[in-house]
Amino acid sequence: MKCSNGTPGANAFAVFILGVILLLFPTSCSMFTCPAPNVPTKSAYQPSSPPPCDLPYCDVNLDLPITAVTKPKIYIYKGERRLLLVNESTLVREYRIGLGPHPKGDKYFQGDGRTPEGEYSVCAMNSNSKYYKSLGLNYPSLKRAQDAYRLGEITQEQYLKILEANERKTLPPANTCLGGAIFIHGGGSYEDWTLGCIAVSNLYMDELFEVVSPGTSVTILP
């Protein structure tokens, strides 16, 4: 008796042949359709955070109206004679500055003609200064006073007065060997003519005076 194509024996043989093919080519994509791997495309990738910023600003907008500055910070680069006004993370102004007769190095003692370096803040504002307008900085800082007291450079009474001024956010005394009365003031930046203060033009001083307030951060760099 002959078996037709529809018989159970023929069907079993066909299944056997198909199984052999699958065993010989288990991963072949040429004979069978393979689904695309579930990998996001380059265009779909979004970084989780912005790239790191090594400067005190990540954007520049020198045309921003000064009235739009709401969170100012000041950065002073002594070696470059530059004062940067940064609003949040945007550089909004850059001013030329003048310093004292010995601008290199941190301030160490009264009369050395140097501008202190480090982290400070505005603690006084004078709209009728000898040099147009001025912003007083909290030098000597608490850390500088602590180091000086530990080394015996200032007395306990002097240390306590500097400590009190820093706690009250007022201008520290300037009559110790550490010096003081460090200001950002007007008068021009044509040369290094101050006694250790930071000088800018009167026009720039007007802009600073409009946006700065007591407590504004001032970072002074070499």
Side-chain angles (χ1 to χ4, degrees):
M1 176 185 269
K2 294 182 179 181
C3 294
S4 65
N5 290 337
T7 61
N11 291 339
F13 181 77
V15 171
F16 173 77
I17 294 299
L18 180 59
V20 171
I21 294 174
L22 290 174
L23 289 173
L24 292 176
F25 306 99
T27 60
S28 174
C29 290
S30 60
M31 296 180 64
F32 304 96
T33 302
C34 292
N38 187 21
V39 178
T41 62
K42 184 177 181 180
S43 59
Y45 172 75
Q46 295 294 333
S48 58
S49 60
C53 182
D54 295 329
L55 296 170
Y57 57 90
C58 296
D59 195 11
V60 178
N61 183 4
L62 300 179
D63 296 323
L64 184 74
I66 200 68
T67 53
V69 177
T70 57
K71 296 181 179 179
K73 290 185 177 181
I74 294 174
Y75 296 86
I76 294 169
Y77 290 83
K78 291 167 47 176
E80 300 175 12
R81 303 299 191 277
R82 292 195 306 158
L83 185 154
L84 306 183
L85 179 62
V86 176
N87 185 51
E88 294 184 298
S89 61
T90 301
L91 174 65
V92 296
R93 294 293 186 275
E94 181 176 346
Y95 305 143
R96 167 78 182 178
I97 63 172
L99 298 172
H102 305 291
K104 290 185 179 181
D106 197 0
K107 186 172 185 60
Y108 183 69
F109 58 86
Q110 186 179 41
D112 61 6
R114 292 177 176 171
T115 302
E117 299 170 0
E119 299 288 338
Y120 298 93
S121 62
V122 173
C123 61
M125 300 180 66
N126 186 355
S127 59
N128 190 30
S129 169
K130 178 180 179 181
Y131 302 108
Y132 189 57
K133 296 177 181 178
S134 63
L135 304 170
L137 306 185
N138 65 321
Y139 176 87
S141 66
L142 178 57
K143 183 180 184 308
R144 181 70 181 93
Q146 288 173 338
D147 291 342
Y149 179 56
R150 177 174 52 84
L151 294 172
E153 297 173 343
I154 59 175
T155 66
Q156 183 181 36
E157 182 182 1
Q158 292 171 329
Y159 166 71
L160 291 176
K161 287 183 178 179
I162 295 173
L163 173 63
E164 181 183 7
N166 274 274
E167 289 178 343
R168 296 177 59 184
K169 302 185 186 305
T170 59
L171 203 63
N175 59 348
T176 73
C177 67
L178 304 180
I182 301 297
F183 291 86
I184 301 172
H185 59 65
S189 56
Y190 46 88
E191 62 181 352
D192 292 333
W193 60 274
T194 77
L195 297 177
C197 293
I198 301 103
V200 299
S201 73
N202 291 350
L203 177 63
Y204 295 158
M205 199 65 222
D206 282 336
E207 289 192 328
L208 289 174
F209 219 79
E210 187 171 347
V211 299
V212 168
S213 60
T216 296
S217 170
V218 179
T219 302
I220 306 176
L221 301 161

